[in-house]
DNA sequence: CCTAAAAAATGACGAAAATCATATTTATTT
DNA sequence: AAATAAATATGATTTTCGTCATTTTTTAGG
């Protein structure tokens, strides 16, 4: 059965198949500096799909068959710990590529991905993607750079996890989320936010309240809006 | 001034310049499946250096000039948190390549590297290395795979940091260190081990004692030997 | 071999954050 | 619109772990 909300989204312009050539999100990501002929190839090879909120792209342990390119929406990439609690490793936004790591490692997925809101996500099959990488040095270097960048981000992430208090980590996380959500308010469940920060949901809720009382944050149920970035930066502890 | 110990190491066979063609460590790492002509190139381009214990390879914020290939010894790769406390991200052993991430990102080093024991480490200049990568598909794919693998490891690391207790993390860390040290006892200062696990040195010392009393571990000042891997695995909590 | 410095170990204590229980609000379904 | 479920919120309690102070042991240098 189709909910009113997802129905609306299907009728929404965001659901229309977007040509790669006119895809506004392309400018942000890997396929930015792509040329005419290659753009046509990409166009021909990708399949555009609609994912409604909380729909799974792939799960831990499954076989990678291709990469996902977000045209519109947000996707969480996460791993489950021993007790089943999710740790969100990354939140992908429009223009971002998901699941390319597994293309190269030859292993099964070690993480899972799920849409956080109604999203348009294109799919490029493994062989097609690997072909592009193999024969397009620009694309290839872009991928290598992307992998390197993420590696660096994760070193930061690990250091923060290990050394910062939950309060500092929340402030830091909100700053990251500001970049991801841009002009839009941060739209995450308390549980997802807790799983991104790496804390218990109850602790997160208490801290959000503190931040609100400190005048850093405006809270409307599921929408968070940072109103004092400077203060948040100082709360993040450098 | 040269200490007796480093003097000894310089005279030690481990200090001798090793040809890449006969380098025993090469089998473990990226340069494993390298062919005759390319091996000669590598041989000609690399410089072999001796680093005594606690010597720095590079520091945070400096300009990357090439990659380091460990012939013999161990190297810690770490990042400093706000209060200067080190977080060890990775410990490199013989055969491992260090500092290649920064070759691709075009940024300054975001981490630092320092030898944990007297080590032989070869150096390959940036242009030479990038050339090799550009024109050798095998090597290139090896690097991409390596980057992907590390990315996956770090997702695990983050999840562990966020969800496991210090005790579980220590058990997990010891298992990783067993792989790195192989037959040799784990040889790290309490502080380094604490900075790898992500805890206070005092807490780490107390836990080591517990593990010893539980019969998992043999402790000789700076040398740790796991004697019950099975138990350690259960302590690591899956 | 002795001395100074560094590293490791131990104890006492407090703060941070997890857990458990329960209430309240918001969404969803019928 | 009522009913059920899910998400959010709050309180009480406990556990874990970090911090600070001090002692003991080990290492390195003269």
């Amino acid at each position: 059965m189709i909910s009113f909300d997802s129905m609306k989204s299907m009728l929404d312009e965001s659901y229309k198949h977007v040509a790669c050539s006119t895809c506004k999100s392309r400018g942000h990501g890997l396929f930015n500096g792509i040329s005419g002929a290659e753009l046509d190839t990409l166009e021909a090879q990708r399949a555009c799909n609609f994912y409604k909120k909380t729909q799974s792209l792939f799960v831990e342990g499954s076989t990678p068959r291709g990469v996902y390119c977000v045209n519109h929406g947000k996707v969480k990439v996460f791993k489950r710990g021993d007790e089943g609690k999710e740790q969100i490793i990354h939140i992908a936004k429009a223009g971002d590529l998901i699941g390319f790591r597994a293309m190269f490692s030859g292993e099964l997925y070690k993480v899972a991905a799920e849409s956080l809101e109604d999203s348009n996500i294109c799919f490029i099959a493994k062989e097609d993607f690997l072909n592009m990488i193999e024969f397009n040095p620009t694309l290839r270097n872009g991928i290598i750079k992307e992998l390197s960048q993420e590696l660096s981000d994760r070193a930061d992430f690990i250091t923060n996890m290990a050394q910062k208090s939950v309060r500092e980590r929340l402030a830091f996380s909100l700053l990251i989320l500001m970049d991801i959500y841009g002009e839009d308010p941060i739209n995450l469940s308390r549980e997802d936010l807790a799983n991104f920060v790496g804390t218990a949901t109850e602790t997160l809720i208490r801290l959000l309240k503190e931040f609100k009382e400190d005048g850093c944050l405006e809270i409307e149920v599921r929408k968070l809006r940072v109103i004092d970035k400077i203060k948040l930066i100082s709360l993040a502890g450098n």
Side-chain angles (χ1 to χ4, degrees), chain A:
Chain A
M1 194 168 303
I2 296 166
S3 72
F4 175 68
D5 210 60
S6 70
M7 188 71 171
K8 202 179 63 176
S9 294
M10 280 181 162
L11 298 173
D12 188 304
E13 57 155 5
S14 67
Y15 179 55
K16 283 186 191 132
H17 275 222
V18 186
C20 296
S21 49
T22 59
C23 174
K24 284 181 216 156
S25 303
R26 195 165 51 85
H28 308 300
L30 181 74
F31 296 120
N32 184 15
I34 215 173
S35 84
E38 280 152 344
L39 196 55
D40 292 345
T41 313
L42 180 61
E43 182 86 48
Q45 287 173 342
R46 74 92 175 73
C48 198
N49 290 112
F50 175 75
Y51 289 80
K52 62 181 189 179
K53 190 177 168 178
T54 74
Q55 211 176 325
S56 170
L57 278 72
F58 53 83
V59 298
E60 227 166 318
S62 61
T63 306
R65 306 201 185 281
V67 297
Y68 300 81
C69 185
V70 181
N71 166 56
H72 176 263
K74 303 270 184 291
V75 177
K76 65 174 171 183
V77 178
F78 62 95
K79 206 175 164 67
R80 277 180 201 286
D82 301 342
E83 273 100 54
K85 186 177 163 74
E86 296 178 3
Q87 177 61 41
I88 297 181
I89 305 293
H90 182 73
I91 293 179
K93 60 176 192 301
D96 288 347
L97 221 56
I98 300 167
F100 59 93
R101 190 207 66 77
M103 291 301 103
F104 307 120
S105 72
E107 296 168 313
L108 302 179
Y109 281 121
K110 297 280 183 72
V111 293
E114 187 183 304
S115 60
L116 286 166
E117 44 189 78
D118 290 354
S119 303
N120 268 326
I121 301 167
C122 297
F123 179 81
I124 303 153
K126 186 171 176 171
E127 323 82 84
D128 295 333
F129 180 71
L130 289 178
N131 251 319
M132 277 189 240
I133 297 301
E134 185 74 16
F135 298 112
N136 184 331
T138 311
L139 219 49
R140 189 167 69 219
N141 290 333
I143 278 284
I144 295 180
K145 194 167 179 175
E146 178 70 27
L147 286 163
S148 300
Q149 187 58 54
E150 280 196 32
L151 220 39
S152 173
D153 290 347
R154 290 193 189 179
D156 278 6
F157 210 103
I158 290 169
T159 308
N160 283 339
M161 278 293 178
Q163 300 191 5
K164 284 180 189 277
S165 67
V166 175
R167 176 177 287 101
E168 290 171 317
R169 261 148 53 200
L170 172 57
F172 190 81
S173 298
L174 288 171
L175 291 168
I176 294 174
L177 289 168
M178 274 181 81
D179 280 339
I180 295 174
Y181 282 84
E183 294 304 302
D184 302 324
I186 297 165
N187 185 345
L188 281 175
S189 72
R190 298 291 185 270
E191 193 177 358
D192 279 336
L193 187 50
N195 290 343
F196 186 52
V197 174
T199 188
T201 308
E202 296 94 323
T203 303
L204 177 107
I205 288 169
R206 285 180 244 265
L207 285 171
L208 278 186
K209 194 180 165 191
E210 274 188 40
F211 281 22
K212 183 184 167 189
E213 283 163 358
D214 286 358
C216 296
L217 209 58
E218 252 173 24
I219 304 182
E220 276 178 69
V221 193
R222 229 184 106 109
K223 299 202 188 319
L224 308 177
R225 204 181 286 275
V226 174
I227 53 179
D228 191 345
K229 190 175 176 180
I230 306 297
K231 193 160 192 177
L232 217 51
I233 290 171
S234 79
L235 275 170
N238 299 318

